[in-house]
Amino acid sequence: MNNKGSGEDETLIEATHAITFKNTSGQPFTTAPVSVLIEGDRAKDYMDIDQPKKERKENNFLVQGLMKFTGPDKTATIEITKALDVEGKFVIETSKDRTVEAKKKMHNDDYELVSVQKTGTVVISNTKKEEIKCKVDHLLYGQLEKSDPSPMEVTERHNSRVYSHQQNTDLNNTAKYVWEIKVPAKGKAELVFTYHIKEWIRGEQTRMKK
């Protein structure tokens, strides 16, 4: 699951069947198309294969996917098909409280360094008759404070955002967070995380709580 909204409801996130495995080759995987094969006995779970078991081939072509660049000891993910029986909703709430962490004057204007807390909630619904393991990816701009459950993987990204009154230094991190969540059969599971974003704002534009 990723954090891209779908349809008219931007809180909805699509789930996709995917294969994940760790790159233990010692070399990076380069970006390239790959063919995914599946054993005949399990093909029925993913494809409309009606022939008797004895007539099935040992392996069946499932789908062609894209292998993205994956460094050594990193987890590779190959997306297969959309999962119509798994659905997610992602909502971000912004706290009304503001915290002023610093003040400064620049070009005869007063600026305040303001910290705003946000809470992200992901609810995953599973209509399958079996438990599933779901991986949630989210590119977060800000500083993560806490998360339940904890992320299994964090990859920092280079920030391209620049504010002239910040002396060309961004105050917030950008990182890709990956969570792995078990969702019970015919049930739901929830991921909740809080983070904050800092920004220099003209002092007269806002009234903050210390």
Side-chain angles (χ1 to χ4, degrees):
M1 307 186 81
N2 58 41
N3 61 318
K4 297 178 181 178
S6 61
E8 297 180 356
D9 187 351
E10 293 184 353
T11 67
L12 292 178
I13 49 178
E14 294 182 344
T16 304
H17 290 296
I19 296 174
T20 61
F21 57 93
K22 190 172 184 179
N23 176 10
T24 58
S25 67
Q27 301 293 327
F29 293 152
T30 56
T31 301
V34 295
S35 295
V36 179
L37 305 179
I38 190 168
E39 292 179 351
D41 289 345
R42 298 197 62 191
K44 184 66 176 178
D45 296 335
Y46 297 90
M47 304 174 63
D48 187 16
I49 299 178
D50 295 323
Q51 65 265 36
K53 178 179 178 181
K54 63 180 180 180
E55 296 179 8
R56 297 178 193 168
K57 297 180 180 179
E58 181 178 351
N59 294 305
N60 293 277
F61 175 80
L62 180 60
V63 71
Q64 187 175 52
L66 179 67
M67 168 68 74
K68 297 180 181 179
F69 179 89
T70 306
D73 296 322
K74 297 295 183 179
T75 301
T77 300
I78 302 174
E79 296 184 353
I80 303 177
T81 57
K82 290 183 179 180
L84 302 179
D85 42 16
V86 178
E87 182 181 84
K89 281 201 170 187
F90 179 39
V91 177
I92 295 180
E93 296 180 348
T94 302
S95 172
K96 294 181 180 180
D97 293 338
R98 303 289 188 271
T99 302
V100 176
E101 297 188 351
K103 296 182 180 182
K104 71 177 180 180
K105 185 180 289 289
M106 188 173 185
H107 303 303
N108 296 322
D109 289 325
D110 293 324
Y111 283 91
E112 296 176 335
L113 179 58
V114 178
S115 177
V116 181
Q117 187 183 71
K118 295 175 177 286
T119 301
T121 303
V122 180
V123 179
I124 305 171
S125 301
N126 174 26
T127 60
K128 287 176 173 288
K129 296 180 180 180
E130 59 186 17
E131 180 184 81
I132 63 169
K133 186 183 294 183
C134 191
K135 189 176 77 169
V136 179
D137 297 354
H138 178 60
L139 188 62
L140 187 145
Y141 177 73
Q143 184 65 45
L144 185 70
E145 295 178 351
K146 60 180 180 179
S147 173
D148 184 21
S150 300
M152 61 176 289
E153 184 178 322
V154 181
T155 305
E156 293 189 0
R157 300 288 184 89
H158 172 70
N159 282 332
S160 59
R161 303 187 186 189
V162 173
Y163 301 100
S164 59
H165 55 273
Q166 293 180 24
Q167 299 178 344
N168 296 333
T169 301
D170 199 350
L171 299 168
N172 304 289
N173 298 326
T174 299
K176 178 183 177 182
Y177 287 84
V178 180
W179 293 267
E180 191 170 85
I181 303 171
K182 291 184 179 180
V183 188
K186 299 289 184 178
K188 295 183 179 182
E190 188 175 76
L191 160 66
V192 180
F193 59 91
T194 59
Y195 63 102
H196 65 262
I197 294 177
K198 296 182 180 183
E199 184 178 4
W200 284 103
I201 298 178
R202 283 186 179 181
E204 66 272 14
Q205 292 180 350
T206 183
R207 293 294 180 269
M208 306 298 171
K209 288 185 179 181
K210 291 186 178 181

